[in-house]
PDB file of all heavy atoms in Angstrom:
ATOM      1  N   ASN A 536      90.063  87.286 118.704  1.00 98.00           N
ATOM      2  CA  ASN A 536      89.041  86.305 118.343  1.00 98.00           C
ATOM      3  C   ASN A 536      89.019  86.148 116.814  1.00 98.00           C
ATOM      4  O   ASN A 536      89.148  87.137 116.090  1.00 98.00           O
ATOM      5  CB  ASN A 536      87.676  86.804 118.853  1.00 98.00           C
ATOM      6  CG  ASN A 536      86.535  85.883 118.478  1.00 98.00           C
ATOM      7  OD1 ASN A 536      85.602  86.284 117.782  1.00 98.00           O
ATOM      8  ND2 ASN A 536      86.577  84.639 118.943  1.00 98.00           N
ATOM      9  N   THR A 537      88.882  84.914 116.353  1.00 98.00           N
ATOM     10  CA  THR A 537      88.970  84.660 114.909  1.00 98.00           C
ATOM     11  C   THR A 537      87.818  83.781 114.438  1.00 98.00           C
ATOM     12  O   THR A 537      87.251  83.008 115.214  1.00 98.00           O
ATOM     13  CB  THR A 537      90.274  83.921 114.553  1.00 98.00           C
ATOM     14  OG1 THR A 537      90.288  82.672 115.242  1.00 98.00           O
ATOM     15  CG2 THR A 537      91.488  84.732 114.935  1.00 98.00           C
ATOM     16  N   ARG A 578      91.693  79.612 125.508  1.00 98.00           N
ATOM     17  CA  ARG A 578      91.612  78.153 125.384  1.00 98.00           C
ATOM     18  C   ARG A 578      92.780  77.674 124.536  1.00 98.00           C
ATOM     19  O   ARG A 578      93.341  78.439 123.751  1.00 98.00           O
ATOM     20  CB  ARG A 578      90.304  77.766 124.688  1.00 98.00           C
ATOM     21  CG  ARG A 578      89.060  78.215 125.417  1.00 98.00           C
ATOM     22  CD  ARG A 578      87.800  77.901 124.633  1.00 98.00           C
ATOM     23  NE  ARG A 578      87.682  78.671 123.401  1.00 98.00           N
ATOM     24  CZ  ARG A 578      87.243  79.919 123.328  1.00 98.00           C
ATOM     25  NH1 ARG A 578      86.903  80.567 124.434  1.00 98.00           N
ATOM     26  NH2 ARG A 578      87.152  80.534 122.178  1.00 98.00           N
ATOM     27  N   GLN A 589      93.332  80.251 121.568  1.00 98.00           N
ATOM     28  CA  GLN A 589      92.207  80.938 120.935  1.00 98.00           C
ATOM     29  C   GLN A 589      91.520  81.749 122.018  1.00 98.00           C
ATOM     30  O   GLN A 589      91.650  81.408 123.195  1.00 98.00           O
ATOM     31  CB  GLN A 589      91.198  79.931 120.387  1.00 98.00           C
ATOM     32  CG  GLN A 589      91.711  79.114 119.233  1.00 98.00           C
ATOM     33  CD  GLN A 589      90.650  78.174 118.694  1.00 98.00           C
ATOM     34  OE1 GLN A 589      89.914  77.574 119.463  1.00 98.00           O
ATOM     35  NE2 GLN A 589      90.575  78.062 117.390  1.00 98.00           N
ATOM     36  N   ALA A 590      90.773  82.741 121.624  1.00 98.00           N
ATOM     37  CA  ALA A 590      90.094  83.576 122.616  1.00 98.00           C
ATOM     38  C   ALA A 590      88.730  83.986 122.109  1.00 98.00           C
ATOM     39  O   ALA A 590      88.479  83.991 120.905  1.00 98.00           O
ATOM     40  CB  ALA A 590      90.917  84.825 122.904  1.00 98.00           C
ATOM     41  N   SER A 591      87.856  84.340 123.034  1.00 98.00           N
ATOM     42  CA  SER A 591      86.607  84.994 122.668  1.00 98.00           C
ATOM     43  C   SER A 591      86.820  86.499 122.763  1.00 98.00           C
ATOM     44  O   SER A 591      87.762  86.971 123.404  1.00 98.00           O
ATOM     45  CB  SER A 591      85.478  84.570 123.609  1.00 98.00           C
ATOM     46  OG  SER A 591      85.151  83.216 123.367  1.00 98.00           O
ATOM     47  N   ASN A 592      85.933  87.249 122.124  1.00 98.00           N
ATOM     48  CA  ASN A 592      86.024  88.702 122.172  1.00 98.00           C
ATOM     49  C   ASN A 592      85.381  89.239 123.441  1.00 98.00           C
ATOM     50  O   ASN A 592      84.329  88.762 123.857  1.00 98.00           O
ATOM     51  CB  ASN A 592      85.360  89.311 120.942  1.00 98.00           C
ATOM     52  CG  ASN A 592      83.957  88.796 120.696  1.00 98.00           C
ATOM     53  OD1 ASN A 592      83.740  87.608 120.591  1.00 98.00           O
ATOM     54  ND2 ASN A 592      83.002  89.712 120.642  1.00 98.00           N
ATOM     55  N   ILE A 666      80.894  87.697 113.699  1.00 98.00           N
ATOM     56  CA  ILE A 666      82.052  87.427 114.553  1.00 98.00           C
ATOM     57  C   ILE A 666      83.346  87.652 113.766  1.00 98.00           C
ATOM     58  O   ILE A 666      83.482  87.176 112.641  1.00 98.00           O
ATOM     59  CB  ILE A 666      81.957  85.981 115.079  1.00 98.00           C
ATOM     60  CG1 ILE A 666      80.747  85.903 115.994  1.00 98.00           C
ATOM     61  CG2 ILE A 666      83.249  85.548 115.756  1.00 98.00           C
ATOM     62  CD1 ILE A 666      80.714  84.804 116.963  1.00 98.00           C
TER      63      ILE A 666
HETATM   64  C1  NAG B 946      85.183  83.896 118.992  1.00 57.54           C
HETATM   65  O1  NAG B 946      84.289  84.424 119.908  1.00 57.54           O
HETATM   66  C2  NAG B 946      83.020  83.789 119.933  1.00 57.54           C
HETATM   67  C3  NAG B 946      82.140  84.564 120.892  1.00 57.54           C
HETATM   68  O2  NAG B 946      81.852  85.804 120.348  1.00 57.54           O
HETATM   69  C4  NAG B 946      83.207  82.348 120.356  1.00 57.54           C
HETATM   70  O3  NAG B 946      81.975  81.675 120.321  1.00 57.54           O
HETATM   71  C5  NAG B 946      84.179  81.665 119.408  1.00 57.54           C
HETATM   72  O4  NAG B 946      84.437  80.358 119.870  1.00 57.54           O
HETATM   73  C6  NAG B 946      85.477  82.455 119.354  1.00 57.54           C
HETATM   74  N1  NAG B 946      86.361  81.870 118.351  1.00 57.54           N
HETATM   75  C7  NAG B 946      87.459  81.199 118.664  1.00 57.54           C
HETATM   76  C8  NAG B 946      88.249  80.666 117.531  1.00 57.54           C
HETATM   77  O5  NAG B 946      87.806  81.014 119.817  1.00 57.54           O
END
Side-chain angles (χ1 to χ4, degrees):
N536 178 240
T537 60
R578 300 176 293 279
Q589 293 182 319
S591 290
N592 51 305
I666 294 201

